[in-house]
Structure formats: structure tokens, C-alpha cells
Amino acid sequence: MNDNKEKLLIVDGMALLFRAYFATAVTGQFMINSKGIPTNAVYGFVKHFLTAVNQFQPSHVAVCWDMGSKTFRTEMFDGYKANRPEAPIELIPQFDLVKEVVEAFDIPNIGLAGYEADDCIGTIAKEMKDAAEVIILTGDQDILQLLEENISVALLKKGYGNYLVHTHETFYEEKGITPKQMIDLKAFMGDASDNYPGVKGIGEKTALKLLQSYEHIEGVLENLHLITKGQRVKIEQDLDMLHLSRQLAEIKCDVPVACTLTDSVFRMDRNKVIEKFTEVEFRGMHKLLEDSKSFA
């Protein structure tokens, strides 16, 4: 770990917002305020956010967002995420509202059209890892490919304040491969939630074995004569999709976004935050706010 005291929390805004929305929408608790705007997702987002801040005590914070559904991945493969339904109507007005609330905390909102939040997270994490200890807060396992010295990932578990914190060491202990090899793992097994198939008939168990034996896709392809005939035939039949799936799976870490330590210092103005909570009509949030030690 870094000897300096700087700790940057990078929040996967989309992951927190969607999780918060679906946790309450299932019972119809949309928390519609007097302006007719649903606030359940934003309320849950703030609750997740403040709980994490109180637990991890970051000195710096940034929040990353998707900026629309069209990205370089949808251009590469038009089936990418094509199985995702449209955003629920009650969630749509909350996309802008949540960014306003984040601004009230004096935290940068970061996103770029054509890229996913993951790509912005990856870019900032890699840029900042030498200046600060980086913790990424998400519910998305794909982010685990970014793990390395000084970059850890806190995966949201059920409820509030429950996290599975992964380092590159714990990931290797659990999977038997390095975080970077996770890209090739997904290339072989595909990703049902992102709607790309990988190699048909090759699941996680087989893919892990192949990568443990031959390190990466190139290693497997160089040693096709050593693997079973069934596996060889499957890979040869889906070779183009294997290479495409790897491109889809890899988080881009050279996106033209920037976030410096100066931009992301976390010192919130209590009055400004409370004013925003009052405007949005949030109730019962003051206790979490009082627990935070990050007032300007």
C-alpha cells in the first residue's frame, strides 16, 4: 500500500443508482416529491455513498457515469447490451437529479459520451494509483480486472455497509488467475448480461483451466494441439467472436477524462448539502451526514 495518506474513492455511479432504484421499485416505493419527481434511486444512492464514505474515510472522491447507451462497444458489436430493457420511466428524471446532488457535495461527476463509466473508472484509477490509494465502489464484478497494487475494489453486498473488498492478492487466491487474465476469461465464457457469447460451449470452469495452463488467449491458440478435441473445435469455430469478446470485455484505461487530487478533495459544505436535501425533500438522511467527518 501507498505510504501517503491520500485515499481516493471512485464511485461507480450507475451501479449504485440502479441498485438503489430496484431495491425499492419492486415494492412501488418511488418516493415521489411535491414536484412530482421520483427520488427513490437518488435517496438510495446517497445512502450507499455516505455509508461507504463513513466506512472507508476517503480524503478524495470522484463519481463516474455512463453518458448514454451508444458507445464504441455498440459500434463494434451491435448486439452489445441489446438485451437490456429501456430504463424504467420513474428512473429517467433521476439521472440528472443524482448528478445535481453529487455536485452539492462538491464532488466531480465524470463521464464521456462514447464510453462507459467503467472506462472512466479504469482511466482515473490507473492515473491516480501512484498518488493515492484507490478504492473503487461498485456492484459490478467486471471492475475486478482493474485490481493491482494500490487499486482495490469494494463490491456492494446486500443491504447497506456490506462490502466484499478485493485486492489483487485476494482475487488470485479465489480465482487462481490474475485480475488482468479476467479479460481473457470473459472472452472465452462470454457475458450474458452484456449480451456477447464468447466461445459457445466453454464455461467458466474450462476457461479458468485453459488460462491457468496457457496464460492468455494467444497461449491457448498456440497450444490447441494439446487440448481436447471438443474444446479445440469449439474455439476454432468461434475464433472471431473470441477476439471480439476480448475487446468488448476489456476496460479502456486511456479515455480522455481527467481527475486530479485537487479536483477530488472531499470537503463537503454541510449547509449546501442540507439545502439540497431539503430542496429534493429527503428525510432521515441527517444522521448519516452527521457521522461523516468530511465537512469543510
Side-chain angles (χ1 to χ4, degrees):
M1 282 296 169
N2 222 317
D3 290 336
N4 64 36
K5 299 270 191 328
E6 313 291 11
K7 189 191 281 188
L8 170 65
L9 181 70
I10 305 177
V11 178
D12 181 347
M14 304 310 291
L16 268 66
L17 191 71
F18 273 87
R19 176 174 286 249
Y21 175 81
F22 286 110
T24 45
V26 68
T27 51
Q29 296 169 288
F30 296 117
M31 295 174 64
I32 294 166
N33 66 18
S34 62
K35 298 178 191 79
I37 298 170
T39 60
N40 63 318
V42 183
Y43 187 91
F45 169 93
V46 173
K47 199 171 166 187
H48 273 303
F49 168 70
L50 286 173
T51 305
V53 160
N54 294 341
Q55 181 146 336
F56 296 110
Q57 296 292 319
S59 54
H60 297 73
V61 180
V63 184
C64 293
W65 302 98
D66 290 347
M67 302 298 280
S69 57
K70 293 273 179 282
T71 67
F72 73 95
R73 290 183 183 86
T74 51
E75 284 176 23
M76 268 199 252
F77 179 55
D78 57 11
Y80 183 74
K81 290 191 177 179
N83 56 341
R84 301 271 177 106
E86 289 291 305
I89 195 156
E90 295 87 359
L91 181 56
I92 290 167
Q94 300 190 63
F95 288 130
D96 287 336
L97 185 61
V98 72
K99 294 190 185 81
E100 284 177 31
V101 171
V102 168
E103 275 171 25
F105 281 95
D106 293 318
I107 294 167
N109 282 306
I110 296 165
L112 188 64
Y115 298 95
E116 293 180 46
D118 290 8
D119 302 308
C120 298
I121 291 167
T123 300
I124 293 163
K126 301 288 181 182
E127 274 177 8
M128 300 291 273
K129 65 180 181 174
D130 295 329
E133 176 193 337
V134 177
I135 301 168
I136 301 167
L137 179 66
T138 184
D140 182 358
Q141 302 250 358
D142 292 350
I143 300 271
L144 294 172
Q145 65 180 263
L146 299 173
L147 289 165
E148 59 171 280
E149 192 67 47
N150 239 36
I151 299 176
S152 57
V153 173
L155 289 174
L156 295 159
K157 306 302 282 179
K158 202 171 172 60
Y160 290 92
N162 302 314
Y163 313 99
L164 175 60
V165 180
H166 260 304
T167 63
H168 64 297
E169 290 98 342
T170 62
F171 180 86
Y172 186 82
E173 281 164 26
E174 188 182 301
K175 294 281 192 189
I177 58 171
T178 65
K180 201 165 168 33
Q181 284 176 291
M182 188 179 165
I183 301 163
D184 287 11
L185 179 70
K186 286 192 67 185
F188 277 115
M189 56 186 277
D191 186 321
S193 71
D194 285 344
N195 202 43
Y196 59 88
V199 176
K200 283 188 196 71
I202 292 203
E204 183 174 18
K205 206 170 156 187
T206 304
L208 278 171
K209 268 190 185 159
L210 290 171
L211 292 171
Q212 284 158 357
S213 302
Y214 305 112
E215 201 177 334
H216 40 57
I217 286 171
E218 288 73 23
V220 174
L221 296 179
E222 282 162 19
N223 291 283
L224 281 178
H225 59 290
L226 298 176
I227 67 176
T228 68
K229 189 184 176 196
Q231 290 168 3
R232 185 168 70 242
V233 168
K234 285 170 188 164
I235 291 168
E236 285 172 342
Q237 281 177 342
D238 265 337
L239 209 49
D240 288 347
M241 186 47 79
L242 174 64
H243 289 301
L244 177 61
S245 295
R246 175 157 64 175
Q247 287 180 281
L248 296 172
E250 184 169 13
I251 292 173
K252 266 184 89 62
C253 294
D254 58 356
V255 173
V257 291
C259 176
T260 65
L261 283 178
T262 310
D263 298 333
S264 56
V265 171
F266 185 51
R267 300 295 288 161
M268 60 180 163
D269 178 334
R270 185 174 179 276
N271 292 334
K272 189 174 173 183
V273 173
I274 287 175
E275 203 175 292
K276 192 68 187 176
F277 284 0
T278 306
E279 181 197 318
V280 180
E281 297 170 32
F282 281 170
R283 291 176 192 86
M285 197 67 89
H286 291 62
K287 174 73 177 81
L288 272 173
L289 209 50
E290 296 306 331
D291 288 345
S292 177
K293 300 177 179 69
S294 303
F295 292 122

